[in-house]
Amino acid sequence: MLAAHRLAAIVPALLLVAAGGARAGDDDGYARSGPYVGFGVTWVTDLFEDEAERYASDLAGAPVQVKIDDTWGLQGVLGYRVLPFLALEAQYEFVDEFAVGASGGGASGSVDLSGHVLTGNLKLVLPTWRIQPYLLAGVGVVWYEASGSISGLGQVVFEDARAFAGRVGAGVDIYLTESLLLDVGATAVLTTEEVSSNVTAQDLDGLHYVAAGASLEVRF
């Protein structure tokens, strides 16, 4: 009778998460429902250097070399664990100054490009006790700020003050206690932000990037 009762409790969890071990996490409180808050740091690399180089070369009418340095960022999250395998969250990420440099073809100079991204995420968690892998996807807005200038490319401006952003990622939550965890993961942020110039009708679009980092989160 006891064995049958345990089997009846475990099978639905197996079907929901497509893996074993979910019941153990729920028993120990690691997969319980409730709010959480977190803060962390990220390493950020751009995904638009090649497109920026082609765009700059088109503007200059000659080959231009563009170099975009990796940078660091900060992120914060406010979420709610709805079910053992599901959480909803709001995530803000600050990207601290991509250094965009251009040279050749009559172009020279640099621009520091910083970004802000706010998304609402759906997080799917595999609640396997203290170590819980996850996938997430979200949508929201992005806005960039630029300082500096690059001569020889005309007047370059952002098309929109704010643009659509999508976020996809994966990682793992490592529980240090039932109330404190380390979130290690990576996300790709895809945007519809466009850059235009008075030199040509062609735009540079898709200022995408990838961020990888770690956050400490507190569960309540």
Side-chain angles (χ1 to χ4, degrees):
M1 181 67 177
L2 180 59
H5 175 74
R6 290 174 62 85
L7 183 60
I10 292 174
V11 168
L14 292 176
L15 294 175
L16 289 170
V17 302
R23 185 173 180 273
D26 204 13
D27 287 345
D28 291 326
Y30 301 112
R32 70 187 185 279
S33 298
Y36 58 91
V37 63
F39 180 79
V41 296
T42 57
W43 169 81
V44 187
T45 185
D46 74 279
L47 297 177
F48 56 92
E49 182 176 285
D50 290 343
E51 289 78 4
E53 185 166 279
R54 284 193 290 268
Y55 185 65
S57 298
D58 289 341
L59 293 180
V64 175
Q65 293 184 336
V66 173
K67 173 64 176 176
I68 304 178
D69 294 336
D70 296 339
T71 187
W72 293 91
L74 300 173
Q75 62 179 352
V77 63
L78 178 64
Y80 192 90
R81 187 78 169 259
V82 181
L83 297 168
F85 58 90
L86 176 66
L88 303 176
E89 58 185 31
Q91 181 179 357
Y92 166 75
E93 188 167 53
F94 168 69
V95 178
D96 181 34
E97 294 185 352
F98 287 120
V100 183
S103 61
S108 64
S110 64
V111 170
D112 291 328
L113 185 65
S114 60
H116 308 264
V117 180
L118 180 63
T119 59
N121 300 337
L122 180 71
K123 184 176 180 179
L124 299 177
V125 187
L126 187 65
T128 48
W129 196 50
R130 285 179 177 263
I131 300 178
Q132 302 186 5
Y134 66 81
L135 300 173
L136 68 80
V139 295
V141 295
V142 59
W143 61 101
Y144 284 102
E145 299 172 350
S147 61
S149 64
I150 299 175
S151 62
L153 299 182
Q155 184 178 0
V156 178
V157 298
F158 293 116
E159 282 289 325
D160 301 298
R162 287 173 175 79
F164 173 83
R167 185 191 301 274
V168 293
V172 60
D173 289 338
I174 304 170
Y175 279 78
L176 309 177
T177 71
E178 288 188 0
S179 299
L180 182 65
L181 64 96
L182 179 66
D183 177 350
V184 180
T187 63
V189 172
L190 311 176
T191 83
T192 61
E193 183 62 271
E194 296 181 338
V195 173
S196 63
S197 170
N198 60 352
V199 175
T200 177
Q202 184 180 359
D203 295 330
L204 168 65
D205 56 11
L207 304 186
H208 314 318
Y209 68 83
V210 171
S215 298
L216 276 177
E217 295 181 3
V218 178
R219 297 204 56 196
F220 301 98

